[in-house]
Amino acid sequence: MEAWMRSTLKRCPLFRGLSNDRFDQISGLLSVGVHSFHAGSQVAFRGDAYEDLLIILSGYLNGEFRDYSGKVLKVETLHAPDTVASAVLFAPENVLPVDLVAVSDVDLISLSRRVVLTLFHKEEQILLNYLSDNGQKLTLLAEKLRFIQFSTIKEKIANYLLDLSKSQGTETPELRITKEKLAEVFGVTRPSLSRGFQQLCDAGVICQEGSLIRLLQRRELEFLVHKEEKQR
Amino acid sequence: MEAWMRSTLKRCPLFRGLSNDRFDQISGLLSVGVHSFHAGSQVAFRGDAYEDLLIILSGYLNGEFRDYSGKVLKVETLHAPDTVASAVLFAPENVLPVDLVAVSDVDLISLSRRVVLTLFHKEEQILLNYLSDNGQKLTLLAEKLRFIQFSTIKEKIANYLLDLSKSQGTETPELRITKEKLAEVFGVTRPSLSRGFQQLCDAGVICQEGSLIRLLQRRELEFLVHKEEKQR
């Protein structure tokens, strides 16, 4: 395996927490066949059998839905060295739930299910990483589903911040995911999300200090969430 | 462990495919502490730490979202002997993504993460069942997200049937999930779903023969999907 591949794979969430020695020991199991795709090309279709675990070596791709009229709903963006659709690999009908589209030029390697299972047996940390990744994906998808019911970005932000304040037990909760990730959960663009936050800051409803958000007018946030409900 | 518990657990998806002997050997690891909840009571809240795997011994519960205005969105219904939120158990922030509400009286047992990992090591089939369950949940959630974009039930059915026809490569695709499960994926009630199918049958667009659906007027189904797009 080439050095750049090895160092990329070492950073893959699947191998998080492994010592260099341990990684070197197990990396002999990893296939080195590389599949390359040009920017804009279709890596795989929703409904395709997903028999081997794909890991992105370079570039990034989108997981998205496209309906029969051509409308696209982006579900997530995956960057090197992420794994692709790991939860689906062992699903009873293991087919891709989304289309995979290369956004930049993309290089991928694939690991067979058998190799993945062997890795689990050789190193419990890899199994834990895999399960952790599945859990995170499911949580993000559930959140995305939850936020769809709030129609405007300010409503989504209001609900998210009230929620964060409750779970952290403070009026100054900390944003623990990046704004990129949050925009993805909300299903909006990053600039739109920033505008939403800025409008709430300008109105004196919240105040942002680094990753901390100070809830200055909680009632205003609650009003935003309730207003939506009344209009239905 | 009491006999009824043992026979219930034996049918749990987690232990699918295990021989009676093998199940008896590993069942000694399973805790027998039972948590009981009355119909209508809250089993757990979204955001609660999820430290132990819950398995439903009797009854059924809903996983649902409730926003600050009290609006409820049901995500799924789980029946004995299902596992609860298995994908979340090993998530980096292992908190429940949904509220759990007992619909009937419910009995649950819990397995610690350590015990679950021990089961994985003792029996690969249990690990495969667990991964399969995670994959199925993620797929259903992704489908639910996809179907939210279609506003009417007939549009959802049309998209689903066109999709099924494509993936099975036939104009007479087979419904491989129950109408109950399909209603859940669509986020509609079972009677509404049946009405939708019936209306399409009455209009001569489809014809149902057991689990087979004959697409009599494909163009009409495509029109339903496209109409929605045009109205946006």
Side-chain angles (χ1 to χ4, degrees):
Chain A
M1 192 186 302
E2 293 176 41
W4 73 272
M5 282 188 204
R6 180 183 296 267
S7 76
T8 303
L9 280 176
K10 176 80 179 70
R11 291 182 293 108
C12 175
L14 198 55
F15 304 114
R16 201 187 300 129
L18 260 64
S19 67
N20 287 329
D21 279 0
R22 196 64 187 124
F23 178 74
D24 288 344
Q25 284 166 29
I26 57 108
S27 66
L29 289 165
L30 310 176
S31 144
V32 291
V34 176
H35 317 275
S36 298
F37 297 88
H38 285 299
S41 65
Q42 187 99 13
V43 174
F45 289 90
R46 185 171 65 80
D48 282 355
Y50 192 63
E51 304 283 357
D52 300 302
L53 180 66
L54 296 174
I55 303 178
I56 308 175
L57 280 178
S58 69
Y60 63 109
L61 51 79
N62 279 347
E64 58 190 38
F65 300 129
R66 190 178 294 265
D67 69 18
Y68 286 88
S69 66
K71 189 155 55 83
V72 171
L73 176 67
K74 193 182 88 171
V75 179
E76 62 173 350
T77 302
L78 296 168
H79 295 263
D82 282 342
T83 57
V84 178
S86 60
V88 180
L89 189 64
F90 297 98
E93 300 210 13
N94 56 315
V95 298
L96 282 171
V98 290
D99 288 325
L100 299 178
V101 178
V103 183
S104 68
D105 287 354
V106 164
D107 290 322
L108 300 160
I109 66 159
S110 61
L111 305 182
S112 73
R113 265 184 287 199
R114 191 41 28 214
V115 165
V116 175
L117 283 173
T118 305
L119 291 172
F120 292 165
H121 285 297
K122 289 211 178 282
E123 183 65 53
E124 184 176 79
Q125 188 58 47
I126 298 180
L127 171 60
L128 289 172
N129 290 341
Y130 194 88
L131 291 169
S132 166
D133 202 41
N134 286 1
Q136 192 168 34
K137 288 292 167 58
L138 187 119
T139 303
L140 285 177
L141 211 50
E143 283 292 271
K144 207 173 168 84
L145 191 65
R146 191 165 76 85
F147 279 106
I148 273 182
Q149 64 184 314
F150 302 108
S151 54
T152 74
I153 292 176
K154 280 198 283 185
E155 286 156 11
K156 290 176 209 263
I157 295 174
N159 197 282
Y160 185 77
L161 292 180
L162 288 170
D163 208 43
L164 219 52
S165 161
K166 187 178 164 200
S167 67
Q168 297 181 20
T170 168
E171 289 299 294
T172 316
E174 187 190 355
L175 289 182
R176 289 180 184 155
I177 60 173
T178 63
K179 287 249 177 87
E180 278 74 18
K181 193 50 93 180
L182 193 58
E184 210 163 280
V185 169
F186 287 177
V188 302
T189 64
R190 172 74 170 81
S192 303
L193 181 70
S194 292
R195 260 197 309 279
F197 267 95
Q198 196 54 51
Q199 285 167 1
L200 290 169
C201 286
D202 291 348
V205 178
I206 62 171
C207 164
Q208 182 157 11
E209 298 158 10
S211 65
L212 292 183
I213 307 288
R214 196 173 294 278
L215 309 190
L216 300 172
Q217 297 182 45
R218 164 175 281 273
R219 284 216 181 149
E220 197 55 42
L221 292 174
E222 289 170 349
F223 176 73
L224 272 171
V225 175
H226 289 125
K227 196 177 65 178
E228 163 68 1
E229 176 60 15
K230 281 182 212 127
Q231 285 169 348
R232 279 178 193 224
Chain B
M1 192 186 302
E2 295 175 41
W4 72 274
M5 282 190 206
R6 178 183 298 267
S7 77
T8 304
L9 279 176
K10 176 78 178 69
R11 290 183 294 108
C12 175
L14 198 55
F15 304 114
R16 200 186 303 128
L18 261 65
S19 67
N20 287 330
D21 279 0
R22 195 63 188 127
F23 178 75
D24 289 344
Q25 284 165 30
I26 58 108
S27 67
L29 288 165
L30 309 176
S31 143
V32 291
V34 176
H35 316 275
S36 297
F37 296 87
H38 285 300
S41 66
Q42 187 98 14
V43 175
F45 290 89
R46 185 171 64 81
D48 281 356
Y50 192 63
E51 304 283 356
D52 301 301
L53 180 66
L54 296 174
I55 302 177
I56 307 175
L57 280 178
S58 69
Y60 64 109
L61 52 80
N62 279 347
E64 58 190 37
F65 300 129
R66 190 177 295 264
D67 70 17
Y68 286 88
S69 66
K71 188 155 55 85
V72 171
L73 176 68
K74 194 181 87 169
V75 179
E76 61 173 351
T77 302
L78 296 167
H79 296 263
D82 281 342
T83 56
V84 178
S86 60
V88 180
L89 188 64
F90 296 98
E93 299 210 12
N94 56 314
V95 298
L96 282 170
V98 292
D99 290 324
L100 298 178
V101 178
V103 184
S104 69
D105 287 354
V106 164
D107 290 321
L108 299 161
I109 66 158
S110 61
L111 305 182
S112 72
R113 264 183 287 197
R114 193 36 36 210
V115 166
V116 175
L117 282 174
T118 305
L119 292 172
F120 291 165
H121 286 296
K122 287 206 180 288
E123 183 64 52
E124 183 176 79
Q125 188 59 47
I126 298 180
L127 171 60
L128 288 173
N129 290 341
Y130 194 88
L131 291 170
S132 165
D133 202 41
N134 286 2
Q136 191 167 34
K137 288 291 166 61
L138 188 119
T139 302
L140 285 177
L141 212 50
E143 282 293 90
K144 209 174 166 82
L145 190 65
R146 192 165 75 87
F147 279 106
I148 275 183
Q149 64 185 317
F150 302 106
S151 54
T152 74
I153 292 174
K154 279 197 284 186
E155 285 155 12
K156 290 177 209 266
I157 295 174
N159 198 283
Y160 185 75
L161 293 179
L162 288 170
D163 209 43
L164 218 55
S165 161
K166 188 178 163 199
S167 68
Q168 296 181 21
T170 167
E171 289 299 294
T172 316
E174 188 191 355
L175 288 182
R176 289 180 184 155
I177 62 173
T178 63
K179 287 248 177 89
E180 278 75 17
K181 193 50 94 179
L182 193 58
E184 211 163 279
V185 168
F186 287 176
V188 303
T189 64
R190 172 73 171 80
S192 304
L193 181 70
S194 291
R195 259 197 309 278
F197 268 95
Q198 195 53 53
Q199 285 167 1
L200 290 169
C201 286
D202 292 347
V205 178
I206 62 171
C207 164
Q208 180 156 10
E209 298 158 10
S211 65
L212 293 184
I213 307 288
R214 196 173 295 278
L215 310 192
L216 301 173
Q217 297 182 46
R218 165 176 281 272
R219 285 218 179 150
E220 197 56 41
L221 292 174
E222 288 169 350
F223 176 74
L224 272 171
V225 175
H226 289 125
K227 195 178 66 177
E228 163 67 1
E229 175 60 13
K230 282 183 213 128
Q231 285 169 350
R232 283 185 186 215

